Amino acid sequence: MSDSWISPEARLGKDVRTGWGVVVHPGVTVGEGSRIGDHCVLGLPPAEGRAEPLEIGPGSVIRSHNVLYGGSRFGPGLEVGHHALLRHGIVAGANLRVGSYSDIEPEAAIGDYCRFHGYVHVGRGSRIGHFVWLYSLVTLTNDPLPPSHLTRPPVLEDGVVVCVGATVMPGALLRKGAFVAAGSVADGEIPAGAVVRGNPGTVASHVSLLVHPESGLRHPWTEHFADAYPAEARERIARLGAEIAASRRVLKL
Amino acid sequence: MSDSWISPEARLGKDVRTGWGVVVHPGVTVGEGSRIGDHCVLGLPPAEGRAEPLEIGPGSVIRSHNVLYGGSRFGPGLEVGHHALLRHGIVAGANLRVGSYSDIEPEAAIGDYCRFHGYVHVGRGSRIGHFVWLYSLVTLTNDPLPPSHLTRPPVLEDGVVVCVGATVMPGALLRKGAFVAAGSVADGEIPAGAVVRGNPGTVASHVSLLVHPESGLRHPWTEHFADAYPAEARERIARLGAEIAASRRVLKL
Amino acid sequence: MSDSWISPEARLGKDVRTGWGVVVHPGVTVGEGSRIGDHCVLGLPPAEGRAEPLEIGPGSVIRSHNVLYGGSRFGPGLEVGHHALLRHGIVAGANLRVGSYSDIEPEAAIGDYCRFHGYVHVGRGSRIGHFVWLYSLVTLTNDPLPPSHLTRPPVLEDGVVVCVGATVMPGALLRKGAFVAAGSVADGEIPAGAVVRGNPGTVASHVSLLVHPESGLRHPWTEHFADAYPAEARERIARLGAEIAASRRVLKL
């Protein structure tokens, strides 16, 4: 059960499994133990014909109907849903998860352990730290006067959370652990740990004040959700949580 | 004209037609007279390797590039656009229509004759009644303190209409025939027949007050749009319409 | 490297290249020098079995996983991203660019040199002029009383710009060079060159007042962005820019 086209110039590690209808172009390296789903296309564009290397770390799971261009590099444990598009010039750290229908545009830089849900659009050149969450339909824009040749990609520091349907405007700078509420628009510099609400968004509170009354759970999530990450990430998560919690003292509301 | 991989352990009913590049894993049952479009993948995940049954009712039309996991059950007359994703543990009634790019997450329960347009995201565990409409880009969320292990999927009763780009918040309970306006956010309990507008959404009126001045048509849609459904559904639609209309007397505005 | 199904009743021009897993149904014409990416499906639906002609102009680039129905006609230089859906009855001019995950519904009429980014939904019967920009997640709706049999597709005149996440309501008429801000909702008639903001959207200013302070660049974009178009379009762009600039004198704010 395999009818695929794998270039002899691609390098698939030990125990890599590929599905049906998979196309792997020259210059692609897939780390050992990875799985490539049906109807995926790996490698080639932009300058079709010339093969830019695509590196996918070991232990990755690329589900069906995904497109990953040549010219990008993903750390170990990459997980991609279905129908996603990861273009060229992306550099991503360990254990990135990209949801179905998400589109990461060229030259994005992404840290370790980031989690993107579905329909996420990461605009060209975005800079994203570690442990960042982007929920469904989040858009990171980059043109401050559309359409123009100007490009001002946003910067999202470690531990930022952007909720469903929110938009991050060109040139925005979201400091550590900033939280953008559902459907809101974040622009300019957002202080560490700040909660942004509304369109245009304004700083409404600090994340440590976000509480779920029924359960008593509160932000930052680093206290009660670290177990959702691999064990080797936990110490970094604890440090990040302490920094975000500490930012409350300096946030002027 | 058919180059596909159909498992010998799948059961395709009489007169089922499959397109090009179709992958059908073990444990899949497709009812008679159905059509499966090009590049679809049916069955398997989540626990790849073990084949959970996927049941697709007779007379279904699954267009191209769709992914349906094993472990779900769809009634007769399922219709799916292109590039959709229907994951495991879904139980859906008769004649569900799912638009292109829509993503139904695991364990959703869906009644009869529902209509979802494109880019609809139904979060894990959502409970959806009969004759529900979800328009483009509607998102049903379920985590009240993202990210967390908490999960509070919303409940949408019969005849609910959620318009373009609206968001249904975790734990929301939309009573019969509630109507969420375009781009609005519905949270908490929404009374039967109520119209919700804004972010955060508030109850603005009753659906029976939604009128199209030019044509004189008004809500509930059950009066002027029942002919868009199969004949056997009409009596249920009439009963539902009467209930929604009656809710006007009890709605406090 | 080609495992595809090309109907003998399709006509592929000189130097047309097709990828892997491409399905081309009868009645499809692809102009010379075009490129069709992996896993695309061209032609057929709606009345599957009867082949409506699909015409794709010369020099087109259709990337992977796209679906184009029969019964549509696209001018030269069409460019389509990945995972897009272009249904039947569409008539589009020269050099249309359609981003990934975009869905153009039946009977849309589209002028020359339009640019649509990703996740754009163009509702059935929309009428779109020349040099129109639709950014990510823009939705053009058409049912004024959803759900109903009423249909009032919007009209977007030349040079209209609709920013990220904005919604155009049924029956809206956007005059030349109107600009809809990110996340806004445009309804009714919008005067030439007007900037619309908010939900519900109101006219906030004239595009010529949109300035990027850092660079000094301002709208209309026709002054500083004409070089992003083929040389033969530049004279038309200059004329359009003059008209939009002139509309400032007649806009009442």
Side-chain angles (χ1 to χ4, degrees):
Chain A
M1 182 268 188
S2 171
D3 189 342
S4 290
W5 187 85
I6 315 281
S7 162
E9 290 163 68
R11 283 175 300 165
L12 272 53
K14 203 182 147 206
D15 297 328
V16 168
R17 283 179 291 153
T18 57
W20 202 95
V22 170
V23 176
V24 182
H25 291 288
V28 175
T29 304
V30 180
E32 101 174 50
S34 296
R35 219 162 64 219
I36 310 295
D38 307 320
H39 301 304
C40 282
V41 179
L42 306 185
L44 235 55
E48 316 215 10
R50 203 181 60 183
E52 298 284 347
L54 166 66
E55 289 175 40
I56 296 173
S60 294
V61 179
I62 317 286
R63 296 188 183 278
S64 79
H65 299 87
N66 287 303
V67 178
L68 285 81
Y69 282 13
S72 288
R73 205 168 70 231
F74 298 91
L78 172 68
E79 296 182 33
V80 185
H82 301 268
H83 309 285
L85 171 60
L86 313 187
R87 293 179 62 191
H88 61 275
I90 300 166
V91 178
N95 194 211
L96 169 64
R97 289 193 190 160
V98 180
S100 301
Y101 309 105
S102 283
D103 168 18
I104 306 187
E105 292 286 293
E107 278 110 45
I110 302 169
D112 298 329
Y113 301 105
C114 286
R115 304 288 183 250
F116 304 165
H117 277 207
Y119 315 101
V120 164
H121 176 87
V122 173
R124 181 184 280 256
S126 298
R127 317 214 75 74
I128 297 176
H130 308 298
F131 301 103
V132 167
W133 282 82
L134 303 181
Y135 282 91
S136 275
L137 296 169
V138 163
T139 303
L140 272 50
T141 62
N142 64 14
D143 181 349
L145 195 77
S148 77
H149 291 298
L150 300 168
T151 175
R152 300 288 182 277
V155 176
L156 283 68
E157 292 187 352
D158 300 354
V160 160
V161 177
V162 186
C163 294
V164 168
T167 304
V168 178
M169 297 299 277
L173 169 55
L174 279 62
R175 293 291 186 190
K176 270 189 188 164
F179 182 100
V180 183
S184 301
V185 175
D187 203 357
E189 182 171 350
I190 310 295
V195 175
V196 173
R197 279 187 204 283
N199 175 7
T202 53
V203 173
S205 71
H206 186 269
V207 288
S208 60
L209 303 172
L210 293 179
V211 184
H212 181 247
E214 217 182 295
S215 63
L217 289 180
R218 60 169 63 234
H219 265 276
W221 57 264
T222 48
E223 309 259 318
H224 54 81
F225 198 62
D227 62 339
Y229 291 83
E232 67 269 24
R234 308 257 168 95
E235 199 185 307
R236 288 169 68 184
I237 292 174
R239 274 203 308 273
L240 174 61
E243 281 189 78
I244 296 172
S247 67
R248 183 174 174 182
R249 284 168 301 174
V250 295
L251 181 67
K252 291 176 190 72
L253 290 173
Chain B
M1 181 272 188
S2 172
D3 189 342
S4 289
W5 187 84
I6 315 282
S7 161
E9 289 163 68
R11 283 175 301 164
L12 272 52
K14 204 181 145 206
D15 297 329
V16 167
R17 283 179 290 153
T18 56
W20 202 94
V22 170
V23 175
V24 182
H25 290 289
V28 175
T29 305
V30 181
E32 100 173 54
S34 295
R35 220 163 63 219
I36 311 295
D38 306 321
H39 302 302
C40 282
V41 179
L42 306 185
L44 236 53
E48 317 217 9
R50 202 181 61 184
E52 298 284 346
L54 166 66
E55 289 175 40
I56 296 172
S60 294
V61 179
I62 317 285
R63 296 188 183 277
S64 79
H65 300 85
N66 287 303
V67 179
L68 284 80
Y69 281 13
S72 288
R73 204 167 71 231
F74 298 91
L78 172 67
E79 298 182 32
V80 185
H82 301 269
H83 309 284
L85 171 60
L86 314 187
R87 293 179 62 192
H88 60 275
I90 301 166
V91 178
N95 194 211
L96 170 63
R97 289 192 189 160
V98 179
S100 301
Y101 309 104
S102 284
D103 169 17
I104 306 187
E105 291 287 293
E107 279 110 45
I110 303 169
D112 298 329
Y113 302 107
C114 286
R115 304 288 182 249
F116 304 165
H117 278 206
Y119 315 101
V120 165
H121 176 86
V122 172
R124 182 184 279 256
S126 297
R127 318 213 74 74
I128 297 175
H130 308 298
F131 302 104
V132 166
W133 281 83
L134 303 180
Y135 282 92
S136 276
L137 297 169
V138 163
T139 303
L140 272 49
T141 62
N142 63 13
D143 181 349
L145 195 78
S148 77
H149 291 298
L150 300 168
T151 174
R152 300 288 181 276
V155 176
L156 283 68
E157 293 187 352
D158 300 353
V160 160
V161 177
V162 187
C163 293
V164 167
T167 304
V168 179
M169 296 301 276
L173 169 55
L174 280 62
R175 294 288 187 193
K176 270 189 188 164
F179 183 101
V180 183
S184 300
V185 175
D187 203 355
E189 182 171 350
I190 310 297
V195 175
V196 172
R197 278 185 205 284
N199 175 8
T202 53
V203 173
S205 71
H206 186 270
V207 288
S208 60
L209 303 172
L210 293 178
V211 184
H212 181 248
E214 218 182 295
S215 63
L217 289 181
R218 61 168 64 232
H219 264 275
W221 58 264
T222 47
E223 309 259 318
H224 54 81
F225 198 61
D227 61 338
Y229 291 84
E232 67 269 23
R234 309 259 167 93
E235 199 185 306
R236 289 169 66 183
I237 291 174
R239 274 203 308 275
L240 174 62
E243 282 188 78
I244 296 172
S247 67
R248 182 173 174 181
R249 283 168 302 174
V250 295
L251 181 67
K252 290 177 190 72
L253 290 173
Chain C
M1 182 267 189
S2 171
D3 189 343
S4 289
W5 187 83
I6 315 282
S7 163
E9 289 163 68
R11 283 176 301 165
L12 271 53
K14 203 180 147 206
D15 298 327
V16 168
R17 282 179 292 154
T18 57
W20 202 94
V22 170
V23 176
V24 182
H25 290 288
V28 175
T29 305
V30 180
E32 100 174 52
S34 295
R35 219 164 61 219
I36 310 295
D38 306 321
H39 301 302
C40 282
V41 179
L42 306 185
L44 236 54
E48 315 216 9
R50 203 183 59 184
E52 298 284 347
L54 165 66
E55 290 175 39
I56 296 173
S60 294
V61 178
I62 316 286
R63 296 189 183 277
S64 79
H65 300 85
N66 287 303
V67 179
L68 285 81
Y69 281 12
S72 288
R73 206 168 70 231
F74 298 92
L78 173 68
E79 297 181 32
V80 185
H82 301 269
H83 309 284
L85 171 60
L86 313 187
R87 293 180 62 192
H88 61 275
I90 300 166
V91 178
N95 194 210
L96 170 63
R97 288 192 191 161
V98 180
S100 300
Y101 309 103
S102 283
D103 169 17
I104 306 187
E105 291 287 293
E107 277 110 47
I110 302 169
D112 298 330
Y113 302 106
C114 286
R115 304 288 182 251
F116 304 165
H117 278 207
Y119 314 100
V120 165
H121 176 86
V122 172
R124 181 182 278 257
S126 297
R127 317 213 75 73
I128 297 176
H130 309 298
F131 302 103
V132 167
W133 282 82
L134 303 181
Y135 282 92
S136 275
L137 296 169
V138 163
T139 303
L140 272 49
T141 62
N142 64 14
D143 180 349
L145 196 77
S148 77
H149 291 299
L150 299 168
T151 175
R152 300 288 182 275
V155 176
L156 282 69
E157 292 187 352
D158 300 354
V160 160
V161 177
V162 187
C163 294
V164 168
T167 304
V168 178
M169 297 299 278
L173 169 55
L174 279 62
R175 294 290 188 190
K176 269 188 188 164
F179 182 100
V180 184
S184 301
V185 176
D187 202 357
E189 182 171 350
I190 310 296
V195 175
V196 172
R197 279 187 205 283
N199 175 8
T202 53
V203 173
S205 72
H206 186 269
V207 288
S208 59
L209 303 172
L210 293 179
V211 184
H212 181 248
E214 217 182 295
S215 63
L217 289 181
R218 60 168 66 233
H219 264 275
W221 57 264
T222 48
E223 309 259 318
H224 54 82
F225 198 62
D227 61 340
Y229 290 84
E232 66 269 22
R234 308 257 168 94
E235 199 185 307
R236 289 169 67 183
I237 291 174
R239 274 204 308 274
L240 174 61
E243 281 189 78
I244 296 172
S247 68
R248 183 174 173 180
R249 284 168 301 175
V250 295
L251 181 68
K252 288 175 192 74
L253 290 173

